[in-house]
Amino acid sequence: MSIKLYELVGADHARPFSPHCWKVVWALAHKGLDFETAPVPFTGIGEIENGATKTVPIIRDGERLVRDSFDIALYLDEAYPDRPTLFGGEGGKALSRFYERWTQITIHGFLGGAVLHDIHECLAPADQAYFRESRESRMGSRLEDIQAGRDGRLEAFRKSLEPLRKTLDVQPYLGGQGPLFADYIVAGAFQWARIVSSYTPLAADDPVADWFGRILDAHDGVGRRVAAAA
């Protein structure tokens, strides 16, 4: 029986966009595990598995339900130890926690505003109403106004990625000679932007863009199963 992954979608169910769900897609592909996906809009999350979760991703593996992308990755390594590791040991788990927090603060911190209205435009009407009300209430401004300032913040964002560039100067992946879950954590954020928006947060000649392309190509190109936004 294959693993079932519930993943967030907009009006087009063939275009899942959640950065956290994409981490799990890459983790499952990395482990070489068969899986199927179930598309879920924002307003459908509460109906998953009889109300088992308020957020995605969540997977069902036989009798097990596992929530949260990091917990799912930990579970996959523990449940399938004979398959390629996602962390490379206990030290890798600890270091991946750093990448998770850094990505949330630095990359999501910029992209969350830079593509905010673009996300809204990808959603079905019922989800648009939910998304606008919840995000504008949380952020204290209109979606359009928050996104409008992205160009003024872009240079500072690109400079903030220098730790990634310096790491990629000496190794092809954050995980070393091959990708690990730390790579998928960071790549999930850029995949989110790639799918919902034509905005380009990375310069074409940025080593981070080259690395992201390698992640998209990994595991038979599973990251490219959804085309970039036009």
Side-chain angles (χ1 to χ4, degrees), residues 3 19 21 40 48 56 81 106 119 134 142 144 149 161 163 167 169 176 179 184 187 209-210:
I3 295 170
C21 294
V40 184
I48 295 173
V56 288
T106 303
I119 296 170
S134 62
R142 295 173 67 247
E144 293 86 347
L161 301 180
T167 303
D169 279 347
Y184 309 141
D210 292 339

Side-chain angles (χ1 to χ4, degrees), residues 8 50 77 82 102 177 190 195 213 224:
L8 185 66
N50 299 312
D77 253 12
D82 57 323
W102 182 84
Q177 294 306 303
F190 291 113
I195 291 171
R224 296 194 189 276

Side-chain angles (χ1 to χ4, degrees), residues 205-229:
D205 61 351
D206 192 327
V208 178
D210 292 339
W211 160 84
F212 181 49
R214 293 195 293 275
I215 299 296
L216 292 176
D217 290 335
H219 314 307
D220 298 321
V222 68
R224 296 194 189 276
R225 70 179 172 93
V226 178

